[in-house]
Amino acid sequence: MEPEQVQNIMDSMIKKLYDMELEELGRSGWQDEKLLSEVRKLLENNKASIQVEDKTGREGVDLAFAIAEIGEEIGFTQGFKCAFQLFMECKRE
């Protein structure tokens, strides 16, 4: 198996873990209140708003939350990989 294929499988498994975690917490999509609050604060503090509509007509504010959620998922994935590497390092010693 090629290293890229292994990486894709690992990323897929981590994505499933992330989705399971969201489900267990009762969260769906961008409805996490802490995330919503933080994005609102950031937009207000920077006197910013997103005046964009996607193809489905979704409002720009929703887009800001979707972008924040992507960042949250990327952070989860990177943190999981770091924790796994640390675990493997400890196991070797």
Side-chain angles (χ1 to χ4, degrees), residues 3-63:
E4 186 176 317
Q5 290 173 314
V6 171
Q7 184 67 40
N8 288 340
I9 291 169
M10 186 168 127
D11 288 346
S12 175
M13 292 173 78
I14 294 170
K15 169 82 170 109
K16 285 179 186 174
L17 287 171
Y18 179 73
D19 291 341
M20 287 170 36
E21 179 69 15
L22 288 180
E23 188 176 316
E24 185 176 309
L25 293 173
R27 289 173 39 189
S28 63
W30 53 269
Q31 295 174 339
D32 178 20
E33 289 302 318
K34 183 170 174 25
L35 180 64
L36 294 175
S37 173
E38 292 298 320
V39 170
R40 276 194 190 106
K41 266 195 272 181
L42 180 66
L43 290 173
E44 288 171 9
N45 289 344
N46 289 290
K47 296 178 177 50
S49 64
I50 299 175
Q51 302 297 324
V52 180
E53 243 180 49
D54 68 9
K55 292 177 186 175
T56 64
R58 194 167 66 170
E59 294 180 17
V61 174
D62 290 346
L63 183 60

